[in-house]
Amino acid sequence: MADAASATSGHGEELEDPGRRDFIHIAAIAATVGGAAAIAWPLIDQMNPSADTLALSSIEYDLSKVPLGQQVTVLWRKQPLFVRHRTPKEIAEAANADLGRLRDPQPDSARVKPGKAEWLIVVGVCTHLGCTPAFGEGEYNGWLCHCHGSVYDTSGRIRGGPAPKNLEVPDYAFLTDTRVKVG
Amino acid sequence: MSGPSTYEPKTALERWLDQRLPILRFNAELMDFPTPKNLNYWWTFGAILAFCLITQIATGVVLAMHYNASAGGAFNSVEHIMRDVNYGWLIRYIHANGASMFFLAVYIHTFRGIYYGSFKAPREVLWLIGCLIYLTMMATAFMGYVLPWGQMSFWGAKVITNLFSAIPLVGPAITTWLWGGFAVDAPTLNRFYSLHYLLPFVIAGLVGLHIWALHVPGNSNPVGVNVKSKSDTVPFHPYYTVKDGFAISVFVILFAVFVFYMPEALGHSDNYIPANPIVTPPHIVPEWYFLPYYAILRAIPNKLMGVAALGGAIACIFALPWLDTSKVRSMRYRPQAKIYFVFFVLACLVLGVCGAHEVDDQIISGLAGFPLGDANINSYVWLSRIGALYYFIYFLVITPMLGLRETPLPVPESISTPVLSHPAAAPAGATAAPEKKG
């Protein structure tokens, strides 16, 4: 600093050199902005899910507890999970739906495990604004969300109302014929 | 503030302080502030709002001494406040109903600004700061409503935070970030409490800017013409301190009626059921002051468009100074604008009623109606669509077009003219009414 100061004070033309001045300004501003961003990120990211929230374990569930034509709501990752034991009529309705008329086209077979079409497991969170849809209601006897009127069919696919997507199918696997592991 | 100060320190102590921190001078200038002499009672809502903010902060700080911001303890601590804390019921009812009173006053204040053209040049920045205050109030009220951690708190939080999930691409990430998890949960409650405590002070800061921006051009007034001479104004104190004080007293009577006689009238009994993440209450509605926006959201059967309309409805208020093309400030001299304005207020009220009902509810019960598009014509969906349509047409079509096409009545030359020429003030036999001559 002392060198630079004596050098510029000794030579008037260097004092006027705009390139050197600009460089110092740009470097100082860049360092400040970079530093501010570096310290801002921890302050923003602290609001994202913490390690213990992310570590929420998967759950196992015994399907034999669900009678035919009924559903059980289980809590999974702090969200309701619908486990539905579908009747043959409900499965047929879901399988025969005209895919071309669906908002979020997906065949019923892609939403259940092969050979296990009687079991439908979906996250019970309306894809509109997150309410829990009511079982067995609505035009398609799937679910009806009372908050804003979204209608889901017996495959949990969106059929009417404001929701954009089908009810989410979580990752799950059959451990035995009647036992599933979700997550 | 404006003009040279007339403040004279009277004692040695005041002189000493004035040279170091001229706070008494500042206060004297605020009190002396030249204010149009024709302000009516619609202009008292600024002071009423200041009263509301102070009330909310004072009661809120006290409630925070007893509240426990944990998912396990929040609901019980609110019951503890209601049953065990000395005067806890009173303080909480003042705080809860105070929020409603705050919004009631802010809506009247805003409608007054729209009717009398208070947002027009040179008061655009004043208007924008006011809009920011309103936005911050909405965030504060929403987060405050979540704190008791009842069913309405929980599901209200879920629905409102899910609004952000409609944003393409980054929406779900934003929602998760707001929640601090995969659903509304303990971290969400904690951070909402932190922000609910912070934001009122942000509002207080914005109010400071709002008053600063007010004191540059001075108050607008019911006639809408600028102050032309000193004879058009009176000092703020004692003229408007007294008028505002009287208005606050009347307002407090209404406030007290709610607090003491109907403290739960504006609330929902569902919120006395502890939050349950599995069961959505059958009839979920926001607080009354959000109902018009809620109706706009539900009027559109598409998630992204519904949320966009909700945001757009608020954006329209911000944009008003640039949407209104009329040179005449006050609607008192704009007979056509007056009619459209009445319908606008009506549309807001109708939207509020729609928001309180379920979408499929019949407006006229028993009348079968007929299906139109995706819903029955005799349902609140269609009524809220009509209301929402008028809301947007008012801002985006009527307001810009009317200013170019209408023929306003002649505007008085000064604030004093209509007062002095009023039949009551004029000598007997005189029929001076300049606003009717054109």
Side-chain angles (χ1 to χ4, degrees):
Chain A
M1 275 307 286
D3 286 348
S6 60
T8 49
S9 59
H11 304 279
E13 70 276 11
E14 279 183 66
L15 195 70
E16 302 300 318
D17 181 2
R20 285 181 63 164
R21 268 295 150 83
D22 285 354
F23 176 76
I24 292 170
H25 285 162
I26 292 165
I29 291 167
T32 311
V33 169
I39 198 65
W41 178 244
L43 293 174
I44 294 167
D45 193 41
Q46 52 82 21
M47 278 173 68
N48 272 317
S50 55
D52 58 339
T53 306
L54 290 171
L56 274 178
S57 58
S58 50
I59 55 164
E60 287 183 24
Y61 190 71
D62 180 8
L63 295 176
S64 64
K65 288 183 199 163
V66 191
L68 185 69
Q70 293 297 311
Q71 96 173 359
V72 167
T73 306
V74 228
L75 199 61
W76 174 66
R77 292 189 181 169
K78 308 271 178 157
Q79 310 215 61
L81 188 73
F82 293 156
V83 180
R84 183 167 184 160
H85 195 170
R86 299 191 295 180
T87 61
K89 180 170 166 281
E90 289 171 345
I91 298 168
E93 280 171 3
N96 297 335
D98 179 4
L99 285 188
R101 296 187 57 201
L102 295 182
R103 189 177 298 170
D104 183 8
Q106 202 180 16
D108 186 55
S109 55
R111 297 176 58 79
V112 291
K113 299 295 176 194
K116 302 280 187 187
E118 69 266 40
W119 300 109
L120 179 71
I121 300 180
V122 289
V123 178
V125 174
C126 180
T127 57
H128 182 227
L129 294 174
C131 294
T132 304
F135 168 76
E137 295 182 28
E139 205 182 328
Y140 297 89
N141 300 317
W143 289 270
L144 170 69
C145 183
H146 285 279
C147 288
H148 309 97
S150 291
V151 185
Y152 297 91
D153 65 12
T154 51
S155 187
R157 292 173 300 200
I158 181 66
R159 300 300 282 265
K165 288 195 156 30
N166 302 333
L167 292 178
E168 185 193 343
V169 178
D171 283 332
Y172 69 94
F174 279 85
L175 300 174
T176 69
D177 258 4
T178 59
R179 204 163 178 80
V180 285
K181 184 181 177 190
V182 185
Chain B
M1 286 288 151
S2 67
S5 172
T6 54
Y7 172 72
E8 289 286 342
K10 288 184 188 65
T11 64
L13 181 65
E14 283 182 43
R15 262 195 304 282
W16 180 87
L17 184 64
D18 194 48
Q19 286 163 1
R20 285 157 181 82
L21 178 71
I23 190 167
L24 295 176
R25 178 180 298 274
F26 182 76
N27 184 56
E29 283 168 27
L30 280 183
M31 288 297 122
D32 271 350
F33 189 71
T35 313
K37 63 182 179 185
N38 60 339
L39 298 189
N40 56 31
Y41 273 103
W42 298 113
W43 260 262
T44 58
F45 282 88
I48 288 171
L49 284 162
F51 167 80
C52 288
L53 180 61
I54 293 165
T55 305
Q56 290 304 85
I57 290 180
T59 51
V61 166
V62 173
L63 287 170
M65 295 179 187
H66 305 280
Y67 174 74
N68 173 357
S70 71
F75 187 88
N76 289 337
S77 73
V78 172
E79 285 310 298
H80 161 71
I81 289 168
M82 293 301 287
R83 294 156 194 245
D84 303 332
V85 174
N86 299 333
Y87 295 104
W89 60 272
L90 176 65
I91 297 162
R92 176 165 177 264
Y93 276 152
I94 291 174
H95 196 72
N97 286 286
S100 285
M101 294 297 119
F102 207 155
F103 275 95
L104 175 67
V106 92
Y107 282 129
I108 296 173
H109 191 65
T110 312
F111 279 129
R112 185 272 288 166
I114 296 173
Y115 183 84
Y116 290 111
S118 300
F119 53 86
K120 293 186 190 186
R123 295 186 182 83
E124 300 96 323
V125 172
L126 173 61
W127 179 259
L128 289 181
I129 296 167
C131 293
L132 275 181
I133 293 174
Y134 175 49
L135 211 58
T136 319
M137 276 175 64
M138 290 202 277
T140 312
F142 158 64
M143 292 195 230
Y145 193 59
V146 173
L147 300 185
W149 212 235
Q151 274 289 68
M152 280 295 180
S153 298
F154 182 90
W155 290 96
K158 191 150 194 187
V159 167
I160 300 297
T161 49
N162 257 311
L163 291 177
F164 293 92
S165 71
I167 301 168
L169 299 175
V170 292
I174 292 177
T175 316
T176 306
W177 177 73
L178 287 171
W179 289 340
F182 302 107
V184 171
D185 197 13
T188 325
L189 176 63
N190 252 5
R191 64 191 55 183
F192 278 14
Y193 178 57
S194 167
L195 294 173
H196 183 70
Y197 206 122
L198 166 72
L199 289 183
F201 298 97
V202 173
I203 293 177
L206 287 169
V207 168
L209 292 178
H210 196 61
I211 295 172
W212 187 6
L214 168 71
H215 278 222
V216 175
N219 293 74
S220 64
N221 65 80
V223 173
V225 295
N226 292 332
V227 168
K228 298 233 165 73
S229 70
K230 207 164 163 22
S231 70
D232 286 341
T233 67
V234 288
F236 184 75
H237 179 74
Y239 293 92
Y240 287 111
T241 44
V242 168
K243 189 163 186 158
D244 287 346
F246 178 69
I248 289 172
S249 309
V250 174
F251 189 77
V252 167
I253 294 173
L254 175 73
F255 197 155
V257 167
F258 275 100
V259 169
F260 292 105
Y261 295 97
M262 42 206 294
E264 298 288 352
L266 301 170
H268 302 286
S269 49
D270 279 287
N271 219 26
Y272 285 96
I273 302 168
N276 180 346
I278 293 185
V279 182
T280 308
H283 186 195
I284 168 169
V285 283
E287 291 291 81
W288 70 266
Y289 37 82
F290 293 139
L291 288 174
Y293 297 115
Y294 194 61
I296 291 175
L297 169 78
R298 293 195 305 188
I300 299 168
N302 174 295
K303 183 174 175 179
L304 178 59
M305 294 315 290
V307 175
L310 170 65
I314 299 167
C316 282
I317 309 174
F318 275 85
L320 187 56
W322 295 275
L323 291 172
D324 194 326
T325 50
S326 171
K327 295 271 184 291
V328 178
R329 216 175 259 143
S330 171
M331 283 192 198
R332 194 176 272 186
Y333 306 103
R334 302 177 61 199
Q336 280 180 285
K338 217 184 254 186
I339 296 165
Y340 290 117
F341 174 80
V342 169
F343 278 104
F344 172 67
V345 177
L346 209 61
C348 293
L349 294 174
V350 165
L351 281 170
V353 172
C354 290
H357 285 86
E358 290 206 56
V359 278
D360 293 334
D361 281 0
Q362 290 186 325
I363 303 167
I364 306 160
S365 61
L367 188 70
F370 57 90
L372 179 67
D374 58 349
N376 193 293
I377 189 76
N378 183 22
S379 70
Y380 280 96
V381 188
W382 275 108
L383 188 60
S384 48
R385 281 174 189 166
I386 295 165
L389 192 68
Y390 185 77
Y391 183 100
F392 284 106
I393 286 179
Y394 179 77
F395 278 109
L396 301 175
V397 181
I398 295 172
T399 302
M401 296 291 285
L402 194 62
L404 303 174
R405 298 174 67 97
E406 73 185 338
T407 314
L409 298 174
V411 174
E413 278 170 38
S414 76
I415 287 172
S416 303
T417 325
V419 181
L420 297 176
S421 62
H422 193 273
T431 53
E435 70 269 28
K436 297 220 175 80
K437 276 182 185 162

